[in-house]
Amino acid sequence: MAMNRSVDDLSETQKDSLRLVYRGYNAKEIARMHGVHPATVHQRLTAARRTLGVARSMEAARMLAEAEGTPIYDALLYDEITVAPTPPDRPSSWLSRLPWPLPTRRRPSNDLSFLELLVAILGLATAFMIAAALYVMAINLLDTIV
């Protein structure tokens, strides 16, 4: 029972700090909660480690938790994780249903077959050629007007 006697030698502020360490808080967070400087929390934890004869604050916190009968799986440590519901699918346009040769948001991996990839590349090349032809025609039209 030497362990319990050592835990009994801790001050109440040291115990409070160790309880928060056990719950996963760091020194800055503990300092904010107690309204003190982080160096004060470090001093409390150092004194508590020295009293209990351990090297780490988490070891001291576990010793205190065992002495106080705190469950190992503390509810504050293992909160249930909630995930936001996925938004409903927006109606997709005809443009988003085209087999693009590049990854998109809906299809992050390029899973096109060789033929689909070839058709997509040829379609894009044709669209670029048409755009270039329209550009040249517009430049020629502007030259004849001016």
Side-chain angles (χ1 to χ4, degrees):
M1 289 292 155
M3 178 173 37
N4 287 341
R5 189 168 21 130
S6 297
V7 169
D8 291 338
D9 292 340
L10 295 173
S11 70
E12 199 55 42
T13 56
Q14 290 170 346
K15 288 180 182 179
D16 288 340
S17 297
L18 287 175
R19 287 182 192 114
L20 292 172
V21 166
Y22 186 71
R23 291 185 176 148
Y25 292 100
N26 64 31
K28 276 187 178 181
E29 294 167 329
I30 295 170
R32 271 189 231 115
M33 290 175 179
H34 288 171
V36 295
H37 195 273
T40 305
V41 175
H42 284 292
Q43 289 171 350
R44 290 175 184 171
L45 294 175
T46 301
R49 287 193 310 264
R50 196 175 307 122
T51 301
L52 297 177
V54 295
R56 298 180 162 263
S57 295
M58 185 52 84
E59 289 178 70
R62 283 189 190 116
M63 289 175 71
L64 177 65
E66 286 175 8
E68 292 180 339
T70 304
I72 293 174
Y73 295 105
D74 196 332
L76 291 174
L77 283 175
Y78 300 97
D79 282 343
E80 183 180 327
I81 297 174
T82 57
V83 179
T86 56
D89 286 340
R90 290 182 281 164
S92 57
S93 67
W94 65 272
L95 192 61
S96 67
R97 284 177 276 162
L98 288 176
W100 294 102
L102 301 172
T104 61
R105 212 179 274 173
R106 288 189 177 272
R107 210 173 53 238
S109 64
N110 187 353
D111 56 354
L112 298 178
S113 68
F114 177 74
L115 184 60
E116 290 173 325
L117 188 60
L118 187 63
V119 168
I121 290 172
L122 290 175
L124 285 173
T126 304
F128 285 128
M129 285 192 293
I130 291 171
L134 289 173
Y135 177 75
V136 169
M137 286 172 43
I139 295 295
N140 287 337
L141 184 63
L142 286 175
D143 283 344
T144 57
I145 293 176
V146 179

